[in-house]
Amino acid sequence: MSGWIKGALGALALGLLVGCNNSPHPAGAERENALYMAFRERSPRYLDPTSSYTAPESTFTYEITEPPYGYHPLKRPYTLIPRAAAALATPYFLDAQGRRLPDDAPDDQIAQAVYDIEIRPGLKWSPHPAFAKDAQGQYRYHHLKPGELGDKRSPFDFAQLGTREVVAEDFVYALKRHASPRVEAPLAAVFSEHVIGLRDYMALLRRESEKQLAGLPQTLADKPFLDLRRWPLAGAEAVNDHLLRIRLKGRYPQWQYWLATNFLSAIPWEVDAFYAQPGMAANGLGWNQWPVGSGPFMMTESVQDRRHVMSRNPNYRVDTYPCDGSPGDREAGRLDDCGKRLPFVDKVVAVNVKEELPIKEMFKQGYLDLPEMDRADWGVNLGVDRDDSDEVKAFFKERGFQLPMDVDITNWYLGFNWLDPVVGRGDTPEQQRRNRALRQAISIAIDWEEGYGRIFRAKGGDAAHGIIPPGVFGSKEGQPGEFNPVTHRLVNGRPVRRPLEDAMRLMDEAGYPGGRDAKTGKPLVLNYDFQRVVTPELKAENDWLVRQFAKLGIQLDVRATDFNQFQEKVLKGKHQIFWWGWFADYPDAENFLFLLYGPSSKSLHEGENVANYSNPEFDRLFKRLQSLEDGPEKAAVMARMNDIVRQDAPWAWGFWSYSGLAFQRWVHNGKPGVVVRDRARYLRVDVQDRARSIAAWNQPVWWPLLALAAGGLAIGVATRRAWRARETATALGGGR
């Protein structure tokens, strides 16, 4: 056999051997004490805890930073626990003269609710060059000269790293950042309504920022450091290094839940100053790429749109696994690690896999310990696969895949931009009536029971009848006789979607009989702004939605982008109809009702009201709700707010999704819980079981190589014979 034949066969054989391995990780990764998962789309846009407000980002922010509070990983209903705080604080109340009031004082007497929060002593920031000092005690990297930054693209490219203790002033600084015009702060509007002085502080910082930037280019990426320590905030102070005091306007029971979000995680001023230096933005050095915290992990590798690695924070406090939980947790083995030191894994590795099918196959092969950390539908998705046949069910059982499921407080919906002239509020009373009829007609036509109850079961749930989720105080979802009268009617005591004829009558009222403009005769074309690139598995869902609109004669134009581009679009108010979901931040109706609160408008105020909905009565009731403890009065206010938005229909209500996670059998302590965002610190991996299983599940299939070798040998022999015959013929010809 000639040399080129041998080389070709060898290369082909090597290619087949490599092709047998579908692992996204380096060889031997399965033997490391690491947790492996995937992420889709692009890398998270915001990892700055002041800015981050999406589920994919929470995978990182809640592990790296530590809010004062958190949630017990096992207890249901959800139970608050201390994180950076030493204990949960009970607020006390003051009147307008600063005199202390009894806890049951009426709202009209309460001028302030005061939270005195004790911060754990001994908390340390993860290692970072922003804290490094020279022999004289001066910050080593706070005054870099031109050229000194060089090609450094990671905090770990710097020769010296440092740390210091986390103190109460760092939490004060974090609250101040919500007022900074230099920071994307989606909760600024909400917090400014409650934290005393924050609204005025926002105006102050705008003025100071403008003075500082006067004469500088508007496009300057690295703006000078705006040192928030210079100006006090009336509603937040550090009484001492370990006592944080927050003053709120009146009674606001839900503040305890905000204390469990990344928005109130401590922020060290040193890191703000470090990242504000010239050249940092160009080198990808900033809060959104390299967040800093006192949590169990720290970002140690960040490759845009490819790979992110969080490694164990060597400065993390003493933290132990809980010894209590909910009924069934002990039987499920979730208390076996009682009292053991956290976190269990040395690092968390997230790799970019853009489509669902490859993620699913990698999980089945064992290369992913869980598909994605932030998505609560993987257990549902794989559960549908499992139940497709006895053969698949046996396969899942043999491999020991864990698919725990639960009912949770998560929804998906279709929204209408209130600022849009066609599907929004409308400028005149007549236009408002027509637009409302159009939204109601669409809400009837979209058959969520069919789509996400029978067709797309892998992402399914129960059709929603309003904005308040089941499982929180005051919700009537799913209760007998409870339904949305705009979209449903009662038949034999059960809610049934209204017939299409009702929707067509509303289309006539809206001025679009048969889906055409009554004045021009032109077909009604609406734009659907979808927040992800339409992969094959998403195309079927979008096609289904197009058909729902087609029932009314409406042409739906799908305008798909990736999530970052979608965020830009909604910030500018350029969306019309959109798909959105909400994973609850905390287990209270306020966390869903505020999604339609006018001052939280996404396009106008950078809040989380993506529909930009505004209704004066709803907004007034929302303010009333915020001061109410759970009870009959709060339930009545919730019911009225629900009725208002049912009629206005700023959303086509969508569905309450099932919550289900997926873990390999060697991953321990996994439990669904949408508000438990720091799950990685509790997960333990049996590395030996993983290594054995991956080796057994992915044994090379040799027969194609043997067949290839035999075929190659036959080709080689035939080629050799042909060559000899030709040489012989040439020799004979030459002798004549």
Side-chain angles (χ1 to χ4, degrees):
M1 191 183 300
S2 66
W4 71 268
I5 293 176
K6 292 179 182 178
L9 288 175
L12 191 52
L14 180 60
L16 275 179
L17 276 171
V18 172
C20 291
N21 186 348
N22 194 36
S23 175
H25 313 297
E30 69 274 10
R31 291 187 291 274
E32 296 184 9
N33 183 27
L35 185 73
Y36 297 103
M37 61 187 179
F39 70 95
R40 280 186 276 183
E41 294 290 338
R42 300 169 66 179
S43 291
R45 181 176 183 182
Y46 296 116
L47 293 182
D48 183 330
T50 308
S51 308
S52 176
Y53 209 2
T54 68
E57 295 163 357
S58 70
T59 294
F60 304 96
T61 53
Y62 280 83
E63 303 289 354
I64 293 171
T65 71
E66 279 197 295
Y69 298 171
Y71 288 94
H72 195 291
L74 303 177
K75 288 185 177 181
R76 305 292 183 273
Y78 294 111
T79 303
L80 287 167
I81 60 172
R83 282 197 71 184
L88 302 182
T90 299
Y92 58 91
F93 306 112
L94 305 177
D95 64 14
Q97 286 72 42
R99 295 174 301 207
R100 188 151 180 169
L101 297 170
D103 292 344
D104 60 353
D107 289 350
D108 58 3
Q109 292 184 16
I110 298 175
Q112 294 185 27
V114 183
Y115 283 78
D116 279 353
I117 303 166
E118 185 182 350
I119 304 303
R120 291 180 188 269
L123 292 182
K124 294 280 190 178
W125 294 109
S126 60
H128 195 275
F131 303 114
K133 294 184 177 181
D134 60 23
Q136 288 72 44
Q138 301 300 311
Y139 287 103
R140 189 178 183 89
Y141 301 115
H142 278 212
H143 305 285
L144 295 175
K145 298 175 182 177
E148 279 191 288
L149 182 59
D151 60 355
K152 295 180 179 66
R153 298 185 178 275
S154 159
F156 303 97
D157 289 338
F158 290 80
Q160 259 188 268
L161 305 176
T163 187
R164 68 163 171 82
E165 186 179 16
V166 178
V167 294
E169 187 60 44
D170 297 323
F171 293 90
V172 174
Y173 193 88
L175 254 176
K176 290 178 175 180
R177 277 181 105 236
H178 289 275
S180 174
R182 311 278 180 87
V183 182
E184 195 82 37
L187 264 295
V190 175
F191 286 179
S192 67
E193 291 190 2
H194 300 289
V195 178
I196 291 175
L198 188 58
R199 193 180 301 278
D200 292 337
Y201 201 77
M202 294 168 72
L204 168 68
L205 291 190
R206 278 196 299 272
R207 293 193 299 269
E208 294 296 335
S209 178
E210 289 171 1
K211 285 193 293 185
Q212 190 183 51
L213 297 178
L216 296 176
Q218 291 187 352
T219 57
L220 188 67
D222 298 301
K223 296 178 173 58
F225 175 47
L226 186 64
D227 192 350
L228 309 185
R229 296 174 300 164
R230 294 172 53 194
W231 306 282
L233 171 61
E237 64 174 313
V239 179
N240 56 52
D241 280 353
H242 299 111
L243 184 60
L244 167 68
R245 178 168 292 159
I246 299 175
R247 299 177 182 271
L248 306 181
K249 304 170 189 174
R251 190 195 305 270
Y252 181 42
Q254 291 83 6
W255 184 255
Q256 62 180 331
Y257 299 121
W258 287 118
L259 289 167
T261 65
N262 54 254
F263 301 108
L264 292 175
S265 294
I267 295 285
W269 72 268
E270 294 95 331
V271 176
D272 246 9
F274 175 84
Y275 284 145
Q277 297 178 90
M280 290 287 178
N283 281 26
L285 287 166
W287 274 103
N288 290 321
Q289 300 83 18
W290 301 100
V292 183
S294 61
F297 296 100
M298 59 183 185
M299 189 75 79
T300 52
E301 185 178 342
S302 182
V303 183
Q304 182 71 22
D305 301 335
R306 288 182 57 191
R307 174 181 164 97
H308 298 279
V309 178
M310 293 187 294
S311 299
R312 183 189 297 270
N313 174 8
N315 299 331
Y316 186 52
R317 60 184 171 87
V318 175
D319 187 16
T320 57
Y321 191 84
C323 294
D324 56 350
S326 296
D329 284 330
R330 186 175 300 281
E331 294 76 4
R334 297 193 188 106
L335 297 181
D336 292 350
D337 290 316
C338 161
K340 294 181 181 177
R341 182 82 179 263
L342 298 174
F344 291 116
V345 297
D346 293 330
K347 61 181 179 179
V348 180
V349 180
V351 294
N352 185 228
V353 184
K354 294 188 178 298
E355 296 186 8
E356 179 181 291
L357 186 58
I359 293 177
K360 192 178 292 186
E361 291 307 310
M362 289 177 189
F363 177 76
K364 291 177 181 178
Q365 291 172 282
Y367 295 127
L368 298 175
D369 298 316
L370 66 159
E372 294 174 275
M373 183 72 79
D374 64 283
R375 295 192 66 90
D377 56 3
W378 270 106
V380 183
N381 188 321
L382 288 163
V384 171
D385 289 355
R386 175 196 57 201
D387 297 338
D388 273 349
S389 70
D390 291 339
E391 182 182 3
V392 177
K393 187 173 291 186
F395 172 78
F396 274 46
K397 184 177 180 180
E398 177 192 1
R399 299 214 163 176
F401 298 148
Q402 303 177 73
L403 306 178
M405 284 186 58
D406 208 343
V407 177
D408 221 327
I409 45 178
T410 302
N411 74 333
W412 294 96
Y413 64 88
L414 198 76
F416 305 99
N417 181 8
W418 211 243
L419 304 178
D420 184 82
V422 179
V423 300
R425 179 178 183 271
D427 294 332
T428 66
E430 173 62 18
Q431 193 64 46
Q432 290 168 16
R433 183 186 63 80
R434 291 182 53 190
N435 289 9
R436 180 172 58 249
L438 176 60
R439 294 191 302 273
Q440 290 180 346
I442 294 170
S443 298
I444 292 171
I446 301 175
D447 191 345
W448 298 106
E449 291 89 347
E450 174 201 62
Y452 291 88
R454 297 189 292 275
I455 298 176
F456 307 113
R457 291 183 300 131
K459 298 181 178 179
D462 296 331
H465 288 262
I467 189 175
I468 303 170
V472 304
F473 172 82
S475 173
K476 296 181 180 179
E477 286 277 330
Q479 295 182 13
E482 177 68 14
F483 68 101
N484 181 358
V486 172
T487 57
H488 289 69
R489 59 185 180 178
L490 280 184
V491 178
N492 297 325
R494 297 182 60 187
V496 175
R497 187 164 292 277
R498 288 187 174 277
L500 194 60
E501 290 76 14
D502 289 3
M504 297 305 290
R505 283 194 291 271
L506 285 165
M507 288 292 290
D508 293 345
E509 184 180 333
Y512 302 104
R516 291 183 174 271
D517 191 304
K519 294 181 180 178
T520 66
K522 293 182 179 180
L524 176 60
V525 180
L526 298 178
N527 297 315
Y528 176 42
D529 295 289
F530 191 60
Q531 59 176 273
R532 293 177 58 190
V533 175
V534 181
T535 55
E537 65 265 19
L538 292 174
K539 185 177 186 302
E541 293 179 64
N542 280 336
D543 289 347
W544 174 83
L545 191 61
V546 169
R547 292 195 298 272
Q548 305 306 299
F549 280 76
K551 295 176 187 176
L552 304 174
I554 300 173
Q555 298 178 25
L556 189 67
D557 181 21
V558 180
R559 303 190 299 189
T561 62
D562 65 39
F563 186 65
N564 289 349
Q565 292 170 320
F566 175 79
Q567 286 179 298
E568 287 290 339
K569 187 182 294 185
V570 298
L571 281 172
K572 295 176 181 177
K574 301 297 184 182
H575 54 311
Q576 188 174 47
I577 298 174
F578 61 95
W579 176 255
W580 197 258
W582 188 254
F583 292 76
D585 294 301
Y586 51 87
D588 189 274
E590 186 206 32
N591 195 231
F592 282 81
L593 292 167
F594 97 114
L595 298 175
L596 290 176
Y597 178 51
S600 292
S601 164
K602 173 69 79 172
S603 305
L604 300 179
H605 307 297
E606 298 182 357
E608 287 306 314
N609 176 358
V610 185
N612 299 307
Y613 174 71
S614 179
N615 179 299
E617 184 184 2
F618 182 92
D619 291 348
R620 178 182 62 78
L621 289 170
F622 182 82
K623 293 298 296 178
R624 176 71 185 128
L625 175 91
Q626 289 182 310
S627 66
L628 297 175
E629 302 282 357
D630 291 353
E633 185 180 359
K634 180 176 180 180
V637 170
M638 290 167 56
R640 176 58 188 148
M641 295 175 75
N642 210 23
D643 288 342
I644 291 170
V645 295
R646 281 171 171 174
Q647 291 296 322
D648 278 348
W651 297 354
W653 297 102
F655 59 96
W656 305 110
S657 59
Y658 304 131
S659 179
L661 301 180
F663 299 100
Q664 299 289 356
R665 71 173 184 230
W666 52 78
V667 178
H668 300 272
N669 305 326
K671 183 175 182 176
V674 68
V675 302
V676 180
R677 303 291 176 83
D678 56 334
R679 185 178 294 115
R681 68 173 167 146
Y682 299 107
L683 298 179
R684 176 172 57 83
V685 176
D686 186 334
V687 175
Q688 293 182 343
D689 187 10
R690 178 172 62 192
R692 285 192 303 266
S693 299
I694 288 177
W697 296 353
N698 300 279
Q699 293 182 4
V701 180
W702 295 105
W703 69 262
L705 296 181
L706 296 175
L708 177 64
L713 182 60
I715 293 171
V717 170
T719 303
R720 181 70 174 172
R721 285 176 177 172
W723 177 78
R724 281 194 162 193
R726 187 181 63 193
E727 289 297 308
T728 301
T730 302
L732 290 173
R736 288 177 182 160

